[in-house]
mmCIF file of all heavy atoms in Angstrom:
data_model
loop_
_atom_site.group_PDB
_atom_site.id
_atom_site.type_symbol
_atom_site.label_atom_id
_atom_site.label_comp_id
_atom_site.label_asym_id
_atom_site.label_seq_id
_atom_site.Cartn_x
_atom_site.Cartn_y
_atom_site.Cartn_z
ATOM 1 N N ASP A 45 13.445 0.536 0.009
ATOM 2 C CA ASP A 45 13.542 -0.445 -1.008
ATOM 3 C C ASP A 45 12.489 -0.197 -2.117
ATOM 4 O O ASP A 45 11.317 0.194 -1.784
ATOM 5 C CB ASP A 45 13.266 -1.867 -0.458
ATOM 6 C CG ASP A 45 13.706 -2.961 -1.439
ATOM 7 O OD1 ASP A 45 14.477 -2.672 -2.318
ATOM 8 O OD2 ASP A 45 13.226 -4.061 -1.278
ATOM 9 N N GLU A 46 12.877 -0.302 -3.333
ATOM 10 C CA GLU A 46 11.938 -0.054 -4.466
ATOM 11 C C GLU A 46 10.799 -0.980 -4.416
ATOM 12 O O GLU A 46 10.932 -2.215 -4.277
ATOM 13 C CB GLU A 46 12.711 -0.183 -5.783
ATOM 14 C CG GLU A 46 11.896 0.191 -6.987
ATOM 15 C CD GLU A 46 12.613 0.060 -8.315
ATOM 16 O OE1 GLU A 46 13.898 -0.134 -8.234
ATOM 17 O OE2 GLU A 46 12.034 0.197 -9.400
ATOM 18 N N GLY A 47 9.610 -0.436 -4.594
ATOM 19 C CA GLY A 47 8.401 -1.284 -4.593
ATOM 20 C C GLY A 47 7.723 -1.422 -3.230
ATOM 21 O O GLY A 47 6.638 -2.005 -3.123
ATOM 22 N N ILE A 48 8.384 -0.896 -2.164
ATOM 23 C CA ILE A 48 7.817 -1.025 -0.806
ATOM 24 C C ILE A 48 6.618 -0.096 -0.652
ATOM 25 O O ILE A 48 6.632 1.109 -1.031
ATOM 26 C CB ILE A 48 8.877 -0.719 0.238
ATOM 27 C CG1 ILE A 48 9.928 -1.780 0.368
ATOM 28 C CG2 ILE A 48 8.274 -0.430 1.589
ATOM 29 C CD1 ILE A 48 9.368 -3.127 0.889
ATOM 30 N N ARG A 49 5.558 -0.651 -0.055
ATOM 31 C CA ARG A 49 4.377 0.142 0.318
ATOM 32 C C ARG A 49 4.093 -0.097 1.794
ATOM 33 O O ARG A 49 4.569 -1.007 2.439
ATOM 34 C CB ARG A 49 3.178 -0.340 -0.509
ATOM 35 C CG ARG A 49 3.374 -0.454 -1.995
ATOM 36 C CD ARG A 49 2.158 -1.131 -2.687
ATOM 37 N NE ARG A 49 2.427 -1.446 -4.091
ATOM 38 C CZ ARG A 49 1.621 -2.157 -4.784
ATOM 39 N NH1 ARG A 49 0.485 -2.573 -4.293
ATOM 40 N NH2 ARG A 49 1.928 -2.417 -6.093
ATOM 41 N N LYS A 50 3.272 0.839 2.334
ATOM 42 C CA LYS A 50 2.893 0.678 3.731
ATOM 43 C C LYS A 50 1.901 -0.491 3.810
ATOM 44 O O LYS A 50 1.116 -0.741 2.930
ATOM 45 C CB LYS A 50 2.244 1.935 4.236
ATOM 46 C CG LYS A 50 3.224 3.046 4.473
ATOM 47 C CD LYS A 50 2.555 4.277 5.112
ATOM 48 C CE LYS A 50 3.557 5.390 5.331
ATOM 49 N NZ LYS A 50 2.965 6.580 5.976
ATOM 50 N N GLU A 51 1.955 -1.204 4.895
ATOM 51 C CA GLU A 51 1.128 -2.386 5.110
ATOM 52 C C GLU A 51 0.331 -2.323 6.415
ATOM 53 O O GLU A 51 0.777 -1.747 7.419
ATOM 54 C CB GLU A 51 2.013 -3.652 5.175
ATOM 55 C CG GLU A 51 1.304 -4.954 5.367
ATOM 56 C CD GLU A 51 0.458 -5.431 4.200
ATOM 57 O OE1 GLU A 51 -0.405 -4.566 3.739
ATOM 58 O OE2 GLU A 51 0.657 -6.539 3.706
ATOM 59 N N THR A 52 -0.907 -2.903 6.386
ATOM 60 C CA THR A 52 -1.721 -3.025 7.590
ATOM 61 C C THR A 52 -2.237 -4.452 7.567
ATOM 62 O O THR A 52 -2.296 -5.114 6.514
ATOM 63 C CB THR A 52 -2.932 -2.106 7.617
ATOM 64 O OG1 THR A 52 -3.839 -2.422 6.573
ATOM 65 C CG2 THR A 52 -2.477 -0.611 7.495
ATOM 66 N N PHE A 53 -2.650 -4.921 8.742
ATOM 67 C CA PHE A 53 -3.189 -6.263 8.810
ATOM 68 C C PHE A 53 -4.479 -6.372 7.975
ATOM 69 O O PHE A 53 -4.663 -7.421 7.274
ATOM 70 C CB PHE A 53 -3.481 -6.612 10.249
ATOM 71 C CG PHE A 53 -4.043 -7.979 10.444
ATOM 72 C CD1 PHE A 53 -3.321 -9.161 10.142
ATOM 73 C CD2 PHE A 53 -5.344 -8.152 10.842
ATOM 74 C CE1 PHE A 53 -3.876 -10.418 10.259
ATOM 75 C CE2 PHE A 53 -5.927 -9.446 10.981
ATOM 76 C CZ PHE A 53 -5.163 -10.587 10.666
ATOM 77 N N GLN A 54 -5.300 -5.362 7.983
ATOM 78 C CA GLN A 54 -6.523 -5.377 7.231
ATOM 79 C C GLN A 54 -6.214 -5.496 5.741
ATOM 80 O O GLN A 54 -6.914 -6.285 5.045
ATOM 81 C CB GLN A 54 -7.356 -4.076 7.502
ATOM 82 C CG GLN A 54 -8.733 -4.075 6.914
ATOM 83 C CD GLN A 54 -9.630 -5.205 7.412
ATOM 84 O OE1 GLN A 54 -9.431 -5.630 8.561
ATOM 85 N NE2 GLN A 54 -10.601 -5.607 6.663
ATOM 86 N N ASN A 55 -5.276 -4.741 5.250
ATOM 87 C CA ASN A 55 -4.895 -4.906 3.842
ATOM 88 C C ASN A 55 -4.401 -6.272 3.544
ATOM 89 O O ASN A 55 -4.707 -6.836 2.435
ATOM 90 C CB ASN A 55 -3.803 -3.815 3.498
ATOM 91 C CG ASN A 55 -4.374 -2.417 3.400
ATOM 92 O OD1 ASN A 55 -5.596 -2.232 3.347
ATOM 93 N ND2 ASN A 55 -3.506 -1.422 3.468
ATOM 94 N N LEU A 56 -3.560 -6.802 4.386
ATOM 95 C CA LEU A 56 -3.061 -8.205 4.163
ATOM 96 C C LEU A 56 -4.203 -9.166 4.044
ATOM 97 O O LEU A 56 -4.216 -10.025 3.101
ATOM 98 C CB LEU A 56 -2.172 -8.582 5.340
ATOM 99 C CG LEU A 56 -1.734 -10.030 5.399
ATOM 100 C CD1 LEU A 56 -0.762 -10.346 4.279
ATOM 101 C CD2 LEU A 56 -1.098 -10.377 6.779
ATOM 102 N N ILE A 57 -5.171 -9.112 4.902
ATOM 103 C CA ILE A 57 -6.286 -10.036 4.918
ATOM 104 C C ILE A 57 -7.212 -9.846 3.698
ATOM 105 O O ILE A 57 -7.606 -10.832 3.039
ATOM 106 C CB ILE A 57 -7.145 -9.900 6.194
ATOM 107 C CG1 ILE A 57 -6.360 -10.323 7.439
ATOM 108 C CG2 ILE A 57 -8.472 -10.662 6.105
ATOM 109 C CD1 ILE A 57 -5.983 -11.838 7.409
ATOM 110 N N MET A 58 -7.446 -8.609 3.273
ATOM 111 C CA MET A 58 -8.275 -8.376 2.125
ATOM 112 C C MET A 58 -7.612 -8.747 0.830
ATOM 113 O O MET A 58 -8.316 -9.210 -0.087
ATOM 114 C CB MET A 58 -8.704 -6.882 2.108
ATOM 115 C CG MET A 58 -9.523 -6.450 3.316
ATOM 116 S SD MET A 58 -11.041 -7.476 3.490
ATOM 117 C CE MET A 58 -11.915 -6.983 1.995
ATOM 118 N N ARG A 59 -6.314 -8.555 0.709
ATOM 119 C CA ARG A 59 -5.642 -8.899 -0.582
ATOM 120 C C ARG A 59 -5.588 -10.403 -0.832
ATOM 121 O O ARG A 59 -5.713 -10.800 -1.937
ATOM 122 C CB ARG A 59 -4.181 -8.376 -0.536
ATOM 123 C CG ARG A 59 -4.000 -6.966 -1.009
ATOM 124 C CD ARG A 59 -2.528 -6.706 -1.329
ATOM 125 N NE ARG A 59 -1.628 -7.363 -0.387
ATOM 126 C CZ ARG A 59 -1.174 -6.805 0.728
ATOM 127 N NH1 ARG A 59 -1.520 -5.586 1.034
ATOM 128 N NH2 ARG A 59 -0.391 -7.496 1.491
ATOM 129 N N ARG A 60 -5.360 -11.177 0.203
ATOM 130 C CA ARG A 60 -5.273 -12.600 0.090
ATOM 131 C C ARG A 60 -4.179 -13.058 -0.867
ATOM 132 O O ARG A 60 -4.382 -13.993 -1.652
ATOM 133 C CB ARG A 60 -6.596 -13.213 -0.290
ATOM 134 C CG ARG A 60 -7.739 -12.900 0.673
ATOM 135 C CD ARG A 60 -9.064 -13.449 0.238
ATOM 136 N NE ARG A 60 -9.060 -14.932 0.350
ATOM 137 C CZ ARG A 60 -10.223 -15.664 0.187
ATOM 138 N NH1 ARG A 60 -11.403 -15.007 -0.075
ATOM 139 N NH2 ARG A 60 -10.196 -16.960 0.263
ATOM 140 N N ASP A 61 -3.034 -12.400 -0.889
ATOM 141 C CA ASP A 61 -1.989 -12.749 -1.818
ATOM 142 C C ASP A 61 -0.761 -13.418 -1.140
ATOM 143 O O ASP A 61 0.361 -13.403 -1.651
ATOM 144 C CB ASP A 61 -1.521 -11.600 -2.634
ATOM 145 C CG ASP A 61 -0.789 -10.537 -1.857
ATOM 146 O OD1 ASP A 61 -0.902 -10.544 -0.610
ATOM 147 O OD2 ASP A 61 -0.088 -9.675 -2.435
ATOM 148 N N VAL A 62 -1.051 -13.977 0.054
ATOM 149 C CA VAL A 62 -0.012 -14.824 0.725
ATOM 150 C C VAL A 62 -0.605 -16.187 1.035
ATOM 151 O O VAL A 62 -1.808 -16.379 1.090
ATOM 152 C CB VAL A 62 0.512 -14.175 1.988
ATOM 153 C CG1 VAL A 62 1.138 -12.861 1.716
ATOM 154 C CG2 VAL A 62 -0.525 -14.113 3.089
ATOM 155 N N ASP A 63 0.269 -17.170 1.187
ATOM 156 C CA ASP A 63 -0.144 -18.541 1.482
ATOM 157 C C ASP A 63 -0.065 -18.868 2.945
ATOM 158 O O ASP A 63 -0.808 -19.757 3.434
ATOM 159 C CB ASP A 63 0.741 -19.508 0.714
ATOM 160 C CG ASP A 63 0.755 -19.279 -0.802
ATOM 161 O OD1 ASP A 63 -0.313 -19.319 -1.403
ATOM 162 O OD2 ASP A 63 1.850 -18.994 -1.323
ATOM 163 N N LEU A 64 0.807 -18.176 3.646
ATOM 164 C CA LEU A 64 1.066 -18.528 5.044
ATOM 165 C C LEU A 64 1.411 -17.275 5.859
ATOM 166 O O LEU A 64 2.226 -16.455 5.435
ATOM 167 C CB LEU A 64 2.194 -19.532 5.152
ATOM 168 C CG LEU A 64 2.541 -20.104 6.525
ATOM 169 C CD1 LEU A 64 2.942 -21.610 6.374
ATOM 170 C CD2 LEU A 64 3.682 -19.362 7.163
ATOM 171 N N LEU A 65 0.863 -17.196 7.104
ATOM 172 C CA LEU A 65 1.081 -16.123 8.018
ATOM 173 C C LEU A 65 1.925 -16.667 9.172
ATOM 174 O O LEU A 65 1.565 -17.707 9.787
ATOM 175 C CB LEU A 65 -0.177 -15.514 8.542
ATOM 176 C CG LEU A 65 0.000 -14.466 9.647
ATOM 177 C CD1 LEU A 65 0.593 -13.205 9.128
ATOM 178 C CD2 LEU A 65 -1.376 -14.215 10.349
ATOM 179 N N ILE A 66 2.966 -15.945 9.559
ATOM 180 C CA ILE A 66 3.770 -16.244 10.728
ATOM 181 C C ILE A 66 3.465 -15.233 11.776
ATOM 182 O O ILE A 66 3.559 -13.999 11.558
ATOM 183 C CB ILE A 66 5.275 -16.229 10.436
ATOM 184 C CG1 ILE A 66 5.609 -17.209 9.306
ATOM 185 C CG2 ILE A 66 6.144 -16.528 11.627
ATOM 186 C CD1 ILE A 66 6.810 -16.831 8.483
ATOM 187 N N GLU A 67 3.013 -15.677 12.961
ATOM 188 C CA GLU A 67 2.538 -14.800 14.023
ATOM 189 C C GLU A 67 3.501 -14.909 15.205
ATOM 190 O O GLU A 67 3.518 -15.927 15.881
ATOM 191 C CB GLU A 67 1.115 -15.086 14.433
ATOM 192 C CG GLU A 67 0.194 -13.936 14.752
ATOM 193 C CD GLU A 67 0.577 -13.249 16.074
ATOM 194 O OE1 GLU A 67 1.266 -13.881 16.890
ATOM 195 O OE2 GLU A 67 0.087 -12.135 16.318
ATOM 196 N N THR A 68 4.268 -13.856 15.500
ATOM 197 C CA THR A 68 5.220 -13.890 16.639
ATOM 198 C C THR A 68 5.067 -12.678 17.550
ATOM 199 O O THR A 68 6.024 -12.169 18.108
ATOM 200 C CB THR A 68 6.677 -13.942 16.079
ATOM 201 O OG1 THR A 68 6.980 -12.714 15.386
ATOM 202 C CG2 THR A 68 6.875 -15.128 15.168
ATOM 203 N N THR A 69 3.826 -12.164 17.656
ATOM 204 C CA THR A 69 3.631 -11.001 18.556
ATOM 205 C C THR A 69 3.747 -11.538 20.019
ATOM 206 O O THR A 69 3.578 -12.692 20.260
ATOM 207 C CB THR A 69 2.259 -10.360 18.327
ATOM 208 O OG1 THR A 69 1.220 -11.276 18.569
ATOM 209 C CG2 THR A 69 2.172 -9.752 16.948
ATOM 210 N N PRO A 70 3.878 -10.596 20.995
ATOM 211 C CA PRO A 70 4.083 -11.070 22.382
ATOM 212 C C PRO A 70 2.876 -11.817 22.908
ATOM 213 O O PRO A 70 1.716 -11.530 22.545
ATOM 214 C CB PRO A 70 4.267 -9.777 23.131
ATOM 215 C CG PRO A 70 4.849 -8.803 22.158
ATOM 216 C CD PRO A 70 4.114 -9.186 20.819
ATOM 217 N N THR A 71 3.126 -12.779 23.803
ATOM 218 C CA THR A 71 2.063 -13.613 24.369
ATOM 219 C C THR A 71 1.229 -12.860 25.360
ATOM 220 O O THR A 71 1.796 -12.151 26.224
ATOM 221 C CB THR A 71 2.705 -14.891 25.026
ATOM 222 O OG1 THR A 71 3.210 -15.721 24.054
ATOM 223 C CG2 THR A 71 1.705 -15.623 25.844
ATOM 224 N N ASN A 72 -0.077 -13.005 25.302
ATOM 225 C CA ASN A 72 -1.027 -12.472 26.328
ATOM 226 C C ASN A 72 -1.882 -13.692 26.709
ATOM 227 O O ASN A 72 -2.752 -14.068 25.980
ATOM 228 C CB ASN A 72 -1.879 -11.377 25.708
ATOM 229 C CG ASN A 72 -2.762 -10.706 26.716
ATOM 230 O OD1 ASN A 72 -3.302 -11.405 27.604
ATOM 231 N ND2 ASN A 72 -3.028 -9.428 26.653
ATOM 232 N N ASN A 73 -1.647 -14.187 27.972
ATOM 233 C CA ASN A 73 -2.349 -15.397 28.361
ATOM 234 C C ASN A 73 -3.755 -15.043 28.937
ATOM 235 O O ASN A 73 -4.508 -15.972 29.200
ATOM 236 C CB ASN A 73 -1.570 -16.068 29.469
ATOM 237 C CG ASN A 73 -0.394 -16.833 28.949
ATOM 238 O OD1 ASN A 73 -0.290 -17.092 27.736
ATOM 239 N ND2 ASN A 73 0.552 -17.213 29.775
ATOM 240 N N LYS A 74 -4.072 -13.818 29.041
ATOM 241 C CA LYS A 74 -5.447 -13.406 29.535
ATOM 242 C C LYS A 74 -6.419 -13.290 28.427
ATOM 243 O O LYS A 74 -7.555 -13.763 28.549
ATOM 244 C CB LYS A 74 -5.336 -12.119 30.314
ATOM 245 C CG LYS A 74 -4.554 -12.245 31.598
ATOM 246 C CD LYS A 74 -4.501 -10.929 32.434
ATOM 247 C CE LYS A 74 -3.720 -11.068 33.714
ATOM 248 N NZ LYS A 74 -3.698 -9.833 34.508
#
């Protein structure tokens, strides 16, 4: 898709250009 760049969690946090994060990674109860 035009305009697509690679993303990392660190980049997401540093940019701060989103309002809300949805977290659906697998559960680890330990």
Side-chain angles (χ1 to χ4, degrees):
D45 193 21
E46 186 178 350
I48 287 291
R49 309 172 190 172
K50 289 185 177 180
E51 178 71 304
T52 67
F53 178 68
Q54 187 64 26
N55 286 344
L56 170 70
I57 291 297
M58 294 304 295
R59 271 196 323 269
R60 300 178 71 170
D61 68 342
V62 301
D63 304 300
L64 183 144
L65 173 70
I66 301 151
E67 218 288 343
T68 65
T69 60
T71 291
N72 183 326
N73 286 344
K74 294 182 179 179

